[in-house]
Amino acid sequence: MLLQKTLLSFFFFSLLLLVQSKHNHEVEEEEEVVTRSMFPDDFIFGVATSAYQIEGAYLEDGKSLNNWDVFTHHPGNTGRGENGDIADDHYHRYMEDIDKLEYLGVNAYRLSISWTRILPRGRFGEINPSGLMFYNNIIDNLLLKGIEPFVTIHHFDLPQELEDRYGGWLSPHMQEEYVYFAKLCFEKFGDRVKNWMTINEPNVFTQFAYMRGTFPPRRCSLPFGNCSAGNSDVEPLIAAHNMLIAHAKAVKLYRNHFQPKQGGIVGLTANAFHYEPYTNDEFSYQAVERSYAFNVDWIFDPLIYGNYPALMRKYLGKDLPKFSKEEVELLKGSIDFIGINHYSTFYALDCFNSNDCTSTENRAIGGYTGRAIARNGIPIGDEMGVFGFRIVPYGMEKLLNRLSLRYPNTSIYITENGYCPPNYQEGTELLQDFTRIKFHQTYLASMSKAMRKGAKVKGYFVWSFMDNFEWIQGYNITFGLYYVDRNTMKRTPRLSAKWFKDFIANGEKSSTISTF
Ligand code: GAL
């Protein structure tokens, strides 16, 4: 009996060791594997921000109100009533921030232009010289330090005047408004800015603004959301349609009038999750295809092939706006690169043939697919601070492999990838953010696997340079390599900032967290 017991405990002990050593092994492998030298010499390693999320100075030096200024001032629109009036006060601290970018050793910085800072009333008013000066100073100082500006022209914020006059992106008038804004950017900054993204995440913006009604102008209909007006079935499609055509018109202008002389490139950034089948049957695989079609191909198919994906056309029929012949020609091939913001992976639910789609909360446009974060009670990955986001490093590789198959000739930049802790900066995670380091190591390793299989990835930007105003979730969600003290505005590098700096500088040596 005693012998039996001893043997049994020995067996379990060995099993434990085996499991542990496998676990350690995996961790070691992930940490050892990623080095700067695994990427081409000219690979871009940068950090990203956007204007409304960091600038503050919301009514200074001639800037006027944008949709987010107005929206966040309405009680109840953001989680804790927070807004971007001050944000990270970057408007007054940009020199200090550029020093920090230099410290990180990044060769690029992704920023966006606040529309109302340079065109307070869109086409209906004057150009604001102070706004131009602000961005000129940033661009010049970045270049002095050898940091390439990657500029997003429109990242969620637009003049309130255009929202009031037109109903924002629901109106085709916004196409010309946008082209006017983009032209000014090319004219004033294009001699020094060589990398442009026309629009950030039309797929996310339109779903939040016109389907769920959580972003300005807060339009939606039941069952997707409870708004005073809107139509969740068609408005997101119309708004995205206008954004895509606006993009294509701006690119035509750039290619005809600016690119030959300035020699830059222009792309568009969309959000892209990866989708795994929920069950192992044909319907689930079809749900994966539909999820990709309705979320990702929705944006890139028109920009590369000139039309919406076949699956969207098949299921949405008349609800899906149509491109005219001229628009098809305008759109086809209208990006020099694909910009991808990648955060998470979901199980794709089939809402046609299964009863898995129990709530409308997780349904994609059209309601033909849903998404889940667990299967048989097992979560797809560890939790992050944004509801539903999970850490699933392999999703990066699978997403890139898929994009490479669908768009084989187009370069890709990961314009955002980042981690926020599930609980607001508790304990050591405030500065000793080991999970964030691990997140980037494993996602970079996964990205490099896809590159070895042929994905034409040219750059990777961490979201975000520093903690900032995370839209409706305010300052509670922290994505920064730098921690920002909300009372003093002091920026402090987290361990991850030091890790990223070391990673970029170290070449062949792997920078693991143990180097600190
Ligand atoms: C993206 C967006 C960023 C940032 C990020 C983190 O959708 O482009 O502005 O908020 O998500 O959630």
Side-chain angles (χ1 to χ4, degrees):
M1 185 66 180
L2 188 69
L3 183 72
Q4 257 180 347
K5 259 191 173 173
T6 321
L7 276 177
L8 209 65
S9 22
F10 178 72
F11 172 73
F12 281 121
F13 183 64
S14 319
L15 203 69
L16 193 74
L17 280 184
L18 198 76
V19 170
Q20 267 189 350
S21 84
K22 184 170 178 294
H23 183 67
N24 289 340
H25 179 66
E26 271 171 9
V27 171
E28 254 168 48
E29 245 185 19
E30 283 158 356
E31 285 172 0
E32 291 304 323
V33 160
V34 193
T35 62
R36 170 66 183 89
S37 62
M38 289 164 52
F39 300 90
D41 289 347
D42 60 354
F43 197 81
I44 295 292
F45 279 106
V47 290
T49 62
S50 90
Y52 187 73
Q53 294 177 278
I54 63 164
E55 285 180 6
Y58 84 117
L59 276 181
E60 240 168 279
D61 296 339
K63 178 184 168 295
S64 72
L65 292 175
N66 64 37
N67 54 339
W68 280 91
D69 295 320
V70 173
F71 174 80
T72 55
H73 281 230
H74 271 281
N77 277 351
T78 59
R80 300 185 305 171
E82 290 166 329
N83 57 52
D85 292 3
I86 300 174
D88 287 341
D89 196 29
H90 174 71
Y91 187 74
H92 299 112
R93 293 167 196 253
Y94 67 90
M95 285 303 279
E96 177 197 335
D97 290 336
I98 293 174
D99 284 346
K100 290 182 168 44
L101 292 170
E102 186 183 25
Y103 164 84
L104 285 175
V106 291
N107 54 5
Y109 170 53
R110 176 173 179 242
L111 67 145
S112 80
I113 309 284
S114 156
W115 198 327
T116 47
R117 208 177 279 296
I118 67 171
L119 285 172
R121 303 183 54 207
R123 279 188 298 175
F124 298 96
E126 302 295 311
I127 296 168
N128 178 24
S130 315
L132 294 179
M133 195 167 75
F134 171 62
Y135 294 110
N136 275 328
N137 288 343
I138 292 184
I139 293 162
D140 289 345
N141 283 290
L142 287 172
L143 290 171
L144 272 177
K145 299 197 186 281
I147 302 168
E148 275 295 320
F150 273 61
V151 175
T152 312
I153 296 171
H154 173 44
H155 192 128
F156 296 175
D157 60 303
L158 56 98
Q160 181 61 31
E161 175 143 3
L162 305 184
E163 197 74 73
D164 295 340
R165 279 180 188 260
Y166 300 136
W169 280 109
L170 283 180
S171 161
H173 288 302
M174 280 301 284
Q175 297 170 19
E176 296 315 321
E177 284 292 339
Y178 175 80
V179 173
Y180 186 78
F181 172 38
K183 180 166 180 256
L184 185 65
C185 293
F186 300 144
E187 249 165 30
K188 300 294 180 188
F189 311 131
D191 54 336
R192 288 151 297 147
V193 173
K194 304 296 167 198
N195 300 279
W196 296 99
M197 283 136 294
T198 52
I199 301 180
N200 181 68
E201 295 189 344
N203 50 349
V204 164
F205 177 78
T206 54
Q207 290 194 50
F208 286 162
Y210 300 103
M211 181 188 172
R212 310 214 175 272
T214 52
F215 274 19
R218 244 203 142 141
R219 292 178 65 85
C220 65
S221 57
L222 291 169
F224 294 103
N226 199 353
C227 304
S228 55
N231 181 339
S232 296
D233 291 324
V234 296
E235 287 191 0
L237 300 168
I238 295 169
H241 193 74
N242 285 323
M243 291 173 114
L244 290 169
I245 299 171
H247 155 92
K249 287 183 173 170
V251 171
K252 185 177 176 202
L253 180 87
Y254 183 66
R255 288 188 174 159
N256 287 346
H257 297 284
F258 298 97
Q259 203 172 34
K261 233 194 183 159
Q262 299 180 345
I265 52 173
V266 56
L268 175 144
T269 283
N271 184 291
F273 298 117
H274 171 63
Y275 300 94
E276 284 285 304
Y278 185 61
T279 50
N280 196 16
D281 58 32
E282 203 194 315
F283 291 139
S284 267
Y285 285 90
Q286 287 172 6
V288 168
E289 282 310 302
R290 278 204 303 280
S291 297
Y292 263 108
F294 280 72
N295 287 291
V296 184
D297 311 344
W298 173 28
I299 304 301
F300 290 119
D301 272 22
L303 303 183
I304 292 170
Y305 300 123
N307 206 351
Y308 291 115
L311 283 174
M312 280 188 103
R313 283 184 275 140
K314 172 174 165 189
Y315 291 115
L316 293 173
K318 279 212 287 296
D319 279 350
L320 188 66
K322 281 200 171 42
F323 296 115
S324 69
K325 267 201 186 121
E326 298 78 57
E327 286 164 351
V328 168
E329 288 315 309
L330 201 64
L331 280 155
K332 221 188 267 176
S334 66
I335 40 176
D336 297 324
F337 66 89
I338 289 171
I340 292 290
N341 295 347
H342 177 63
Y343 286 93
S344 196
T345 290
F346 293 96
Y347 291 116
L349 301 176
D350 167 28
C351 305
F352 274 154
N353 308 286
S354 76
N355 298 322
D356 295 330
C357 298
T358 44
S359 82
T360 49
E361 200 177 302
N362 286 325
R363 294 220 185 177
I365 294 254
Y368 301 103
T369 56
R371 58 192 207 190
I373 50 174
R375 196 163 61 179
N376 305 325
I378 303 166
I380 195 163
D382 287 345
E383 209 186 339
M384 284 168 58
V386 172
F387 180 73
F389 282 16
R390 296 275 161 167
I391 307 178
V392 189
Y394 69 79
M396 171 73 96
E397 184 194 349
K398 291 193 173 184
L399 164 70
L400 288 169
N401 291 342
R402 189 183 187 280
L403 288 168
S404 307
L405 278 177
R406 197 166 182 93
Y407 314 113
N409 303 316
T410 316
S411 303
I412 302 172
Y413 286 84
I414 300 298
T415 42
E416 287 178 28
N417 175 232
Y419 170 80
C420 59
N423 303 306
Y424 177 69
Q425 305 181 326
E426 274 173 358
T428 53
E429 278 287 310
L430 178 72
L431 292 174
Q432 317 278 62
D433 54 343
F434 293 102
T435 319
R436 180 175 286 108
I437 295 173
K438 183 80 186 298
F439 177 97
H440 286 292
Q441 286 175 323
T442 50
Y443 271 78
L444 279 167
S446 180
M447 184 178 86
S448 112
K449 277 193 206 152
M451 289 172 70
R452 272 174 274 152
K453 288 183 189 150
K456 295 194 182 74
V457 186
K458 306 289 178 200
Y460 175 89
F461 290 82
V462 171
W463 184 271
S464 174
F465 173 30
M466 55 186 159
D467 295 344
N468 56 50
F469 179 74
E470 185 50 44
W471 308 114
I472 56 169
Q473 297 181 87
Y475 299 100
N476 216 22
I477 297 285
T478 53
F479 272 97
L481 294 183
Y482 277 81
Y483 159 66
V484 178
D485 182 308
R486 296 293 329 141
N487 296 316
T488 62
M489 289 291 144
K490 187 171 182 300
R491 289 87 156 108
T492 309
R494 293 197 164 97
L495 214 49
S496 57
K498 298 177 184 165
W499 167 78
F500 197 45
K501 173 187 170 59
D502 260 31
F503 167 80
I504 293 171
N506 267 348
E508 282 172 41
K509 226 177 91 218
S510 101
S511 60
T512 64
I513 38 185
S514 58
T515 54
F516 299 107

